[in-house]
Structures are given as C-alpha cells and as structure tokens.
Amino acid sequence: NTVFQQYALFPHMNVEENVGFGLRMKGVEKDEREARVERMLRLVNLSGYGKRKVDQLSGGQKQRIAIARALVNEPEVLLLDEPLGALDLKLRKEMQGELKRMQQELGITFIFVTHDQEEALTMSDRIVVMNGGVIQQMGDPKDIYDEPRNRFVADFIGDSNIVEGVMHADFDVSFSGHRFVCVDKGFAPEEAVDIVLRPEDLELVAPEKGMLVGVVESCLFRGVHYEMEIDVNGECYKSQSTKAMEVGSRVGIVIAPDLIQVMHRSSPQGVQR
C-alpha cells in the first residue's frame, strides 16, 4: 500500500469510513472491519476520531488517517512517498517518531521516499542514495554519513567541505597546501582525489597551532552552534563550533586523521568513474 504526500483522503467520508474503505472494497464483514479500523486509530493515536469529518482535522491528523488507511489492509510493504513534506517542522519531527514507533510495533517494511537528508538519517535502518535513477550508495545511516562513496553522496547527505587533493601513498594525502596523515589506503600513487571534511570535525585553534590557517568570512548563530565560513587560500571551509569567531579574524584549523575522508575523484554528476 501507499501513503501519499497530499493525504488523498475522501472528503465526503468521515474518518472511520476513510480508514475502512479498502476493507469495504474487499468485502470484509462489518464487525471485523470496525474492529480493525478501531485498532488502526489506536495505533495512530486517534481513538475517538472515527465520526469526525476530514475537514475538521489538522494536517498532522490527516496524515495519520492516511497512514491508518494504508496499514489497515495489513500490507507486507508500505511505500511512503514524501509523506511529511506538507507538514511544518515541529509536526514533521513528531511524525517521524510516530512512524518509527508504528514500524517497530507492526514489524513490516517501510520504504520511505524523501529529499530531506536529515529525515533520511533519522528514519532509516538502511539508506539508498540515488541520482538520476542510478544507485550511488547503500548502507546504514552512519556508514553513508561517515564514509560517502563519491562527491554526490558526500554533498547530498549532510553539510560537507569537499576539496580536491592528491593521495601520495597509503595514509599520506595533501590538500589546501598542506600534507596530512589520514587512515585511507589502496589508492594509486599520486592519485587525484576528493576530500570530504564535515564542518563539525574541524577543530578551530589559534593560527600558530593550526594545520591550515584561514580568515573568518562569516559567523551565524544556529541555536546549538555557530556556523562559520573560513577562507583558506581561496577555498571556503564551513565549520561548526560552540564558540563564535570574530569576522575578519585569523584562525587555525586542526583535523584528526580519522576525520579526513578520501574518495576517488568523481564526475560532475556524482557517478564514480
């Protein structure tokens, strides 16, 4: 069964009629139909809403009804086509938790389609990143985030600094005018590579202590951290820190070896050569 982004509820039916529509089309007896509808309404935390009209519901409630209508038929697989896209941020986060709870309680497979990278990382046991109909990478959320296979995946999942570099030998890479120790190996000698550095992995220090040195171009407060753009030899590095740096000041950057992700150079479309 499918849950659509725009709910697709029947406006001339009340809640229980919407939820039980598929069962009625299958010829399920009334008593059983009513019992299964009530069970689904409990599952989506809308018990007692059966007689309400669709236009009396909030956006989040409508989405729950759409989910209940799909689940009441007891499918083996549920396809959710960007089901939270029409909700505001707070409600979307609440529904993410509700959907995870439902999936774990029911034990069926949810295929969740989304363009929201944070939502994908939050919701998934396994992620498939696609570009132009081609699978770029499959894996659990941590692997996708920590070990992107190419530039497209690194840029699409989370914030990234992606710079060009050269892999001189195993565990030896240079970029932005500095040579670094890393944990990657298996590349050809002097191979041109792409380097991924997550903003939260850049440690900001005094200029004289930095591996790289740059000038702070901007500093924005994001609630739990400050987000800064730092010019390093003409390259823009994004950094996240709980400490604000003054715009125009010089700052050093330190990067631990295991936080430098080295990838084979990708084509502009992100499909690995």
Side-chain angles (χ1 to χ4, degrees):
N1 275 22
T2 303
V3 177
F4 301 99
Q5 182 176 348
Q6 296 297 333
Y7 319 134
L9 299 178
F10 301 116
H12 61 288
M13 297 181 184
N14 63 23
V15 166
E16 66 182 16
E17 288 170 340
N18 265 281
V19 175
F21 178 77
L23 299 178
R24 185 159 62 87
M25 291 298 99
K26 290 180 178 180
V28 175
E29 293 293 334
K30 182 179 178 181
D31 289 346
E32 181 183 349
R33 186 168 72 239
E34 289 177 350
R36 287 169 64 174
V37 167
E38 180 54 35
R39 175 173 173 267
M40 282 300 110
L41 290 178
R42 285 198 304 272
L43 180 70
V44 298
N45 291 326
L46 288 175
S47 291
Y49 282 69
K51 301 301 182 184
R52 293 201 186 187
K53 295 183 181 298
V54 170
D55 60 9
Q56 294 176 315
L57 304 176
S58 67
Q61 290 168 340
K62 289 178 182 177
Q63 192 57 275
R64 289 170 190 246
I65 297 304
I67 293 166
R69 183 179 61 182
L71 291 175
V72 78
N73 293 301
E74 300 176 350
E76 294 183 10
V77 178
L78 183 66
L79 173 64
L80 300 105
D81 184 11
E82 298 194 72
L84 309 183
L87 306 180
D88 63 49
L89 179 61
K90 182 178 180 181
L91 188 53
R92 187 159 67 244
K93 289 185 177 296
E94 290 176 0
M95 283 301 301
Q96 288 173 2
E98 286 295 308
L99 282 171
K100 287 195 67 121
R101 176 187 64 80
M102 291 179 212
Q103 190 277 327
Q104 291 165 359
E105 183 173 331
L106 293 168
I108 67 174
T109 298
F110 280 21
I111 300 177
F112 194 97
V113 181
T114 180
H115 286 83
D116 186 317
Q117 298 92 332
E118 181 181 345
E119 190 167 76
L121 293 170
T122 300
M123 299 288 293
S124 300
D125 299 308
R126 187 169 180 81
I127 292 178
V128 180
V129 182
M130 301 185 72
N131 181 30
V134 178
I135 293 175
Q136 301 294 302
Q137 187 170 351
M138 293 188 294
D140 67 51
K142 191 174 189 306
D143 286 343
I144 295 287
Y145 187 81
D146 290 341
E147 298 288 344
R149 188 170 296 167
N150 58 39
R151 179 182 284 262
F152 177 83
V153 176
D155 189 48
F156 187 72
I157 298 293
D159 288 330
S160 302
N161 297 292
I162 305 177
V163 297
E164 295 183 352
V166 176
M167 196 71 176
H168 303 289
D170 289 349
F171 318 118
D172 181 10
V173 67
S174 64
F175 56 90
S176 296
H178 187 85
R179 205 150 177 163
F180 294 82
V181 175
C182 64
V183 298
D184 293 281
K185 62 181 180 178
F187 293 81
E190 305 301 320
E191 179 178 345
V193 293
D194 289 330
I195 311 297
V196 178
L197 306 165
R198 298 295 186 183
E200 67 271 19
D201 292 336
L202 305 186
E203 181 184 357
L204 303 184
V205 297
E208 62 273 15
K209 295 181 179 180
M211 298 172 170
L212 301 174
V213 177
V215 176
V216 179
E217 297 285 306
S218 66
C219 182
L220 300 175
F221 182 56
R222 295 294 190 186
V224 296
H225 62 255
Y226 291 90
E227 185 174 279
M228 285 161 278
E229 291 186 348
I230 302 169
D231 183 281
V232 178
N233 299 326
E235 292 182 309
C236 181
Y237 278 74
K238 291 181 288 186
S239 174
Q240 295 173 356
S241 173
T242 56
K243 182 180 179 182
M245 297 291 179
E246 186 176 348
V247 173
S249 64
R250 296 175 72 249
V251 63
I253 299 174
V254 172
I255 311 166
D258 61 331
L259 299 179
I260 299 171
Q261 307 299 330
V262 182
M263 307 181 301
H264 294 284
R265 184 69 56 82
S266 300
S267 68
Q269 289 74 31
V271 180
Q272 194 163 320
R273 294 171 179 169

